[in-house]
Structure formats: C-alpha cells, structure tokens
Amino acid sequence: MYIDPLGAAILLVGIAVGCTVYRHTRASSAPASRGDIVGSIASAVAVITALVLLLGGGNNTTTESDKPASKPAPSTTK
C-alpha cells in the first residue's frame, strides 16, 4: 500500500489539530471532565477536508484510461 506524502501530511495535521482540541477542552473544564471527543473529531475532519480541498490531495494520479490509446501493430499473415 502506498500513501501519497501530501495525503500523509494532511492526515497528520488533522490528527494534531484533533489532539490539540481534545487537550484544550480537557484542561479548561472541571477537573473531573474527560474532554470533548466529538468536538475534537469534528475539528480534525473539518481541517482534513479543508486541506484536501485547498491542496487537491490524492487527485493527481494518472490512470490507464486517461492515457491515449496506442495503435496496435498491423499483423501480417501470408
């Protein structure tokens, strides 16, 4: 399996933002609270989506159908 470096960087940034939001909500609440897991996941998804839309991650590969078709060599039979 191959992961594009741009896609991996976008994923890591999203995870870092999610962890930061989780730690921030955990530290600012009451001492017994556990943090806002839904808010951290939602912010990570929002950051990943925005970066993919802005940077165009994962949409720069060429498939076989995009390449022009080559003409087959003529066969000679006697």
Side-chain angles (χ1 to χ4, degrees), residues 31-72:
S33 67
R34 297 188 334 187
D36 186 12
I37 190 75
V38 176
S40 64
I41 292 173
S43 63
V45 169
V47 166
I48 290 171
T49 303
L51 288 176
V52 166
L53 289 174
L54 288 174
L55 300 176
N59 198 15
N60 54 0
T61 59
T62 307
T63 61
E64 288 294 324
S65 63
D66 293 342
K67 295 179 183 177
S70 62
K71 295 182 181 179

Side-chain angles (χ1 to χ4, degrees), residues 5-33:
L6 178 62
I10 290 172
L11 182 64
L12 288 176
V13 169
I15 290 172
V17 168
C19 289
T20 303
V21 169
Y22 180 76
R23 288 178 188 235
H24 179 71
T25 57
R26 185 172 153 194
S28 65
S29 301
S33 67

